[in-house]
Amino acid sequence: MNDDGLVASSSHRLCFQCGGLGHKMCYCTSSERVKNDEGKESVKRFNDNRKRNHNHFEKVVRWMAKSKSQEPSERTVVDPLLWLRSQAPTSIDGNCVTQRSLDMHRAKYNDLDKAQRTLFGGTIAQLKARLTERLNVSPEDEGASQWHKQLTRAVELGQPAEFSSNNSDEQSIKVYAVEKLQPRCRQLHHLIFHDNSFCAKIRKKLLPSAKESLTTNCISIGGGPGFDHVSFCIAAKFLHDIQPQRSELLPNRIKTEVYDLYSDDWKPVMEALGECFEDRDHLTMHHVDLRLDLADEAHAQLRSSLHTVDIICLQFVLHENSSFLVKEVEIEGVYRKQINGVMRDILTMAPAGTIMIITDSANTLFPYLKDAANEHGWTHLCAEEQLRKEGKRRAYLGPKSFLILERKICK
């Protein structure tokens, strides 16, 4: 690879052993067993060039600049995936699309994918280190914790795992927060950047604004210390930072209300995460009990927030409560199972335009959720089996089972 970052021919390659020109290290005839100074320098030059030419974020910023409006006074906000789709090579005047143009277009998708994953990985790694120190979680704590077995048992029984102060494993809630930070945030974050129409509607709610400061109101049910909030914030920041006129745009503020059965126990962990993430003001904790109806006095805050919600997120929580959520009822002389309790009430009360994201370790509840959603004016933006029928791959490293709904009309 030369100084311009181009792949060099073998006659211009520097040996990593001796630094000589025109041969590889495996063919080096040098009698020295270790790299000399010239060999070390050639390795350094190679690595520096590779890093420079794999800065996918800068590449995305460069080709996103082409989406800028030709009018100097007009500030535009662009979804990168929608813009890439609009720029797909097509035949003009009967001329065939060249393989080079196709490869260059695919390379932009690759740049975008690598850029958002790199930003996510770096942010989460730093956040996890801070949270581990803040919660004083040691490797011994992680090795001794039994939360893995508790969650497995919870899914089997369809009953929530014990994460209260009554749990004999006092560190379990902190260990869970640290160990699950990266995988839980990754599930949602990578799903947001999947290239299809339903995820585009999620991204639309996270894009910056050219005219006024926007706030996206999120409800996270069973979201632990604020996993979903972190995912949405990282995605929103990336979508802002790649915009051609980002200095003139207003970032989208994410306001998340987390609802959990063990809200009192999760609250100090949430506050620690908020401090580490430097975003305490837009993350709050509230109580919810999926076994009760929404009309219960314990759900006053949830009822109020549903009037202005934009996104409702339920990650890995419904199947832990399946024994309470699904009931067999008689309808016109026929017995059938249906969703009851808080979930049915949420599907009834959420305003038009609300997006609901559901991810879980299984999809056995999805048929009942879709039936209830159909009854109350929701449409299926995605289900895993629908993607398979359409021949589309699942979101890479995204949820194993997911369902995304949008409320079109209020019935």
Side-chain angles (χ1 to χ4, degrees):
M1 187 174 285
N2 60 25
D3 291 335
D4 295 324
L6 301 176
V7 178
S9 65
S10 59
S11 62
H12 292 85
R13 182 179 288 115
L14 295 178
C15 174
F16 291 169
Q17 177 73 17
C18 67
L21 184 66
H23 65 273
K24 294 183 179 180
M25 180 177 174
C26 58
Y27 301 120
C28 184
T29 58
S30 173
S31 60
E32 298 182 34
R33 293 188 176 182
V34 297
K35 297 182 179 72
N36 59 24
D37 292 340
E38 289 78 7
K40 292 177 181 178
E41 179 63 25
S42 65
V43 173
K44 183 178 182 300
R45 288 181 62 190
F46 175 83
N47 288 330
D48 288 345
N49 276 324
R50 189 167 70 168
K51 289 179 181 178
R52 184 178 67 189
N53 287 281
H54 283 75
N55 192 331
H56 299 281
F57 182 85
E58 291 184 2
K59 292 180 181 180
V60 172
V61 171
R62 286 200 297 270
W63 56 251
M64 276 287 287
K66 298 179 182 179
S67 68
K68 184 177 179 181
S69 173
Q70 299 300 316
E71 296 294 331
S73 61
E74 185 178 350
R75 292 175 291 179
T76 57
V77 178
V78 181
D79 181 329
L81 285 162
L82 293 183
W83 187 79
L84 280 179
R85 189 179 299 176
S86 71
Q87 300 299 306
T90 56
S91 59
I92 302 175
D93 297 330
N95 296 325
C96 295
V97 176
T98 64
Q99 186 62 47
R100 176 176 172 78
S101 63
L102 290 173
D103 290 343
M104 291 179 65
H105 189 64
R106 292 193 189 103
K108 292 178 181 178
Y109 276 101
N110 180 66
D111 291 336
L112 179 63
D113 186 62
K114 295 291 180 60
Q116 57 94 358
R117 289 174 187 273
T118 300
L119 177 64
F120 171 82
T123 303
I124 286 295
Q126 295 179 23
L127 182 58
K128 182 178 180 179
R130 294 174 192 157
L131 186 63
T132 301
E133 182 179 2
R134 181 71 171 75
L135 296 178
N136 195 27
V137 173
S138 66
E140 290 75 18
D141 293 329
E142 296 185 46
S145 180
Q146 298 295 309
W147 67 261
H148 304 81
K149 295 180 180 179
Q150 296 177 34
L151 286 180
T152 300
R153 187 63 173 162
V155 174
E156 291 174 352
L157 298 176
Q159 299 178 4
E162 177 69 59
F163 274 123
S164 71
S165 56
N166 298 325
N167 194 326
S168 58
D169 186 359
E170 297 180 358
Q171 284 286 89
S172 65
I173 195 169
K174 296 180 180 179
V175 173
Y176 178 88
V178 170
E179 289 192 359
K180 278 295 185 180
L181 177 65
Q182 193 267 356
R184 280 285 299 272
C185 292
R186 182 190 65 191
Q187 296 275 9
L188 178 58
H189 182 271
H190 291 359
L191 182 60
I192 291 171
F193 284 99
H194 201 230
D195 183 22
N196 44 64
S197 59
F198 43 86
C199 290
K201 294 193 176 185
I202 301 174
R203 292 193 300 274
K204 185 177 180 180
K205 293 180 179 290
L206 304 178
L207 286 168
S209 172
K211 297 180 180 179
E212 58 184 352
S213 180
L214 299 177
T215 298
T216 298
N217 297 307
C218 303
I219 288 177
S220 172
I221 298 179
F227 297 135
D228 302 337
H229 180 74
V230 172
S231 300
F232 287 131
C233 287
I234 295 176
K237 184 180 187 306
F238 178 83
L239 289 170
H240 170 269
D241 290 350
I242 63 173
Q243 298 296 322
Q245 298 166 296
R246 53 193 170 279
S247 61
E248 302 174 23
L249 300 178
L250 299 171
N252 194 317
R253 289 196 301 265
I254 310 298
K255 179 182 177 183
T256 305
E257 294 182 357
V258 182
Y259 290 84
D260 200 277
L261 180 62
Y262 302 112
S263 53
D264 291 340
D265 301 281
W266 274 117
K267 187 173 181 179
V269 184
M270 179 207 71
E271 291 174 345
L273 179 64
E275 291 175 1
C276 295
F277 197 52
E278 299 179 356
D279 189 12
R280 294 187 59 182
D281 298 335
H282 302 105
L283 183 60
T284 56
M285 179 67 66
H286 309 275
H287 179 75
V288 69
D289 189 339
L290 295 179
R291 296 168 294 187
L292 305 175
D293 293 331
L294 188 61
D296 191 275
E297 60 181 10
H299 296 152
Q301 179 62 43
L302 180 56
R303 288 196 303 272
S304 174
S305 298
L306 278 174
H307 294 297
T308 56
V309 69
D310 296 299
I311 302 175
I312 301 173
C313 195
L314 302 103
Q315 284 210 84
F316 301 93
V317 63
L318 294 185
H319 281 78
E320 296 174 19
N321 292 270
S322 59
S323 62
F324 312 113
L325 290 176
V326 180
K327 299 294 182 182
E328 192 171 54
V329 297
E330 182 180 1
I331 301 177
E332 297 179 354
V334 178
Y335 285 92
R336 69 172 187 175
K337 293 182 178 180
Q338 69 174 23
I339 294 293
N340 287 291
V342 168
M343 278 306 300
R344 192 171 191 86
D345 295 335
I346 289 175
L347 291 170
T348 304
M349 285 192 60
T354 301
I355 298 289
M356 182 179 290
I357 307 169
I358 304 169
T359 70
D360 224 311
S361 56
N363 56 13
T364 53
L365 292 183
F366 289 2
Y368 313 125
L369 284 166
K370 287 188 281 188
D371 288 343
N374 284 333
E375 294 177 15
H376 297 94
W378 296 74
T379 59
H380 312 311
L381 296 181
C382 170
E384 185 181 16
E385 63 272 16
Q386 290 173 335
L387 286 184
R388 288 200 298 267
K389 290 178 182 178
E390 296 171 7
K392 298 178 181 178
R393 67 179 179 89
R394 294 182 305 187
Y396 180 57
L397 287 180
K400 294 179 180 179
S401 298
F402 61 93
L403 177 67
I404 303 178
L405 308 170
E406 180 187 28
R407 189 157 203 198
K408 289 293 189 180
I409 57 175
C410 297
K411 293 185 177 180

